Amino acid sequence: MMGVHFLDARGPEGVRLYAVGDIHGHLDLLAEMHARIAAEIARDRPPDWRIIHLGDLVDRGPDSKGVIEFLIAAVARDNRNIVLAGNHDQGFLDFLDYPDPAGLFARNGGPETAWSYGVALRMADALGLHQTHAALVRAVPDSHRRFLRRLPAAITFGDFFFCHAGIRPQVPLDEQDPRDLLWIRGEFLNYPALHPKVIVHGHTPQAEAEVMPNRVNVDTGAFHSGILTALVVDEAEKRLISVEVPRVSGRR
């Protein structure tokens, strides 16, 4: 099977792409990244552009509610803002449907997400969980739930395929299991051969963005590093940009 190498990959003619890594409730970093991108677009005036957010909007950081509101407004303002689903976004929806105290949301930033909606989750006892889950369900606007439910799992532009976690190797891109697109790690990360397109993803935080022949990982662990990273593709040109806000999640 023929594949595309990162060095040879090209974006669509006349369209600049920005692929933004996992946000995890850090509205300050997201706003700073959008300001950086807006300044570049105003300066360079590309014929067209897309900003692709690779999922994991919520959990761990202090303002998941604000992140969702920011992106709802961005998409409404200009549909060239694209938001993909992440496993933590799905976990939030799952918890709203059924409050599992041992699930992804509860164990990985759920209390911080709930607090951004003004709810202090109590999960040590069944009654506390029942009461605070009910309060969270009331606090989360229907517009937020609709937005998260409608997020696509993947999108492609030119020689690049964008998703949250990665793909199942040797499975056609249009036949990928949505769960793999949100959750896969080892089989994808360790696969050495080229894919039909270069896969741009997040999900697995690294100290620095990973640029491999067959994939690019732009998750630089914003929730603990304070650094949000994006891949920029402008036809044949590829580069990375990052923004940093001091004093987020233990950084300085």
Side-chain angles (χ1 to χ4, degrees):
M1 180 176 63
M2 297 294 292
V4 177
H5 193 288
F6 175 78
L7 295 177
D8 300 321
R10 296 179 61 93
E13 183 176 356
V15 182
R16 180 180 293 181
L17 306 173
Y18 293 88
V20 181
D22 304 35
I23 301 160
H24 282 298
H26 280 291
L27 176 60
D28 46 6
L29 288 169
L30 176 62
E32 183 69 18
M33 178 63 79
H34 270 251
R36 168 82 175 269
I37 292 171
E40 286 199 1
I41 290 172
R43 179 194 69 205
D44 302 337
R45 298 186 178 182
D48 202 356
W49 55 267
R50 300 291 187 277
I51 305 174
I52 305 160
H53 306 81
L54 298 174
D56 277 7
L57 316 180
V58 306
D59 294 352
R60 295 172 170 165
D63 199 358
S64 293
K65 177 184 179 182
V67 167
I68 294 172
E69 289 178 341
F70 183 100
L71 290 174
I72 288 174
V75 171
R77 186 169 59 249
D78 195 317
N79 63 12
R80 291 176 292 186
N81 290 286
I82 297 166
V83 185
L84 304 181
N87 61 314
H88 283 258
D89 310 315
Q90 184 59 53
F92 183 24
L93 291 173
D94 291 344
F95 185 86
L96 291 174
D97 289 339
Y98 175 76
D100 180 0
L104 173 73
F105 180 81
R107 294 182 292 105
N108 291 276
E112 292 87 343
T113 300
W115 185 245
S116 74
Y117 288 93
V119 176
L121 279 182
R122 301 200 310 272
M123 292 182 287
D125 63 278
L127 178 59
L129 177 61
H130 174 76
Q131 292 174 338
T132 57
H133 170 259
L136 181 60
V137 169
R138 291 192 298 271
V140 177
D142 287 342
S143 60
H144 288 205
R145 287 194 285 267
R146 287 195 303 270
F147 178 73
L148 294 177
R149 288 193 189 106
R150 293 172 179 172
L151 297 181
I155 196 166
T156 186
F157 288 97
D159 293 326
F160 296 88
F161 181 90
F162 302 87
C163 61
H164 175 63
I167 66 165
R168 179 75 54 180
Q170 299 183 313
V171 173
L173 295 178
D174 59 358
E175 297 178 15
Q176 291 289 322
D177 185 329
R179 182 172 175 82
D180 284 333
L181 296 173
L182 267 61
W183 282 96
I184 199 167
R185 276 204 170 101
E187 304 96 320
F188 166 66
L189 297 174
N190 297 322
Y191 187 72
L194 299 180
H195 301 297
K197 293 179 183 283
V198 174
I199 312 304
V200 183
H201 66 98
H203 184 56
T204 302
Q206 302 291 323
E208 296 180 347
E210 290 183 299
V211 179
M212 309 294 284
N214 60 0
R215 63 180 180 85
V216 180
N217 178 7
V218 292
D219 183 1
T220 46
F223 68 92
H224 63 78
S225 70
I227 299 172
L228 183 64
T229 299
L231 172 69
V232 187
V233 177
D234 201 343
E235 298 187 11
E237 178 190 355
K238 284 87 73 174
R239 56 189 169 91
L240 295 164
I241 60 173
S242 294
V243 297
E244 179 176 0
V245 175
R247 294 183 296 279
V248 296
S249 291
R251 188 177 179 87
R252 289 205 297 277

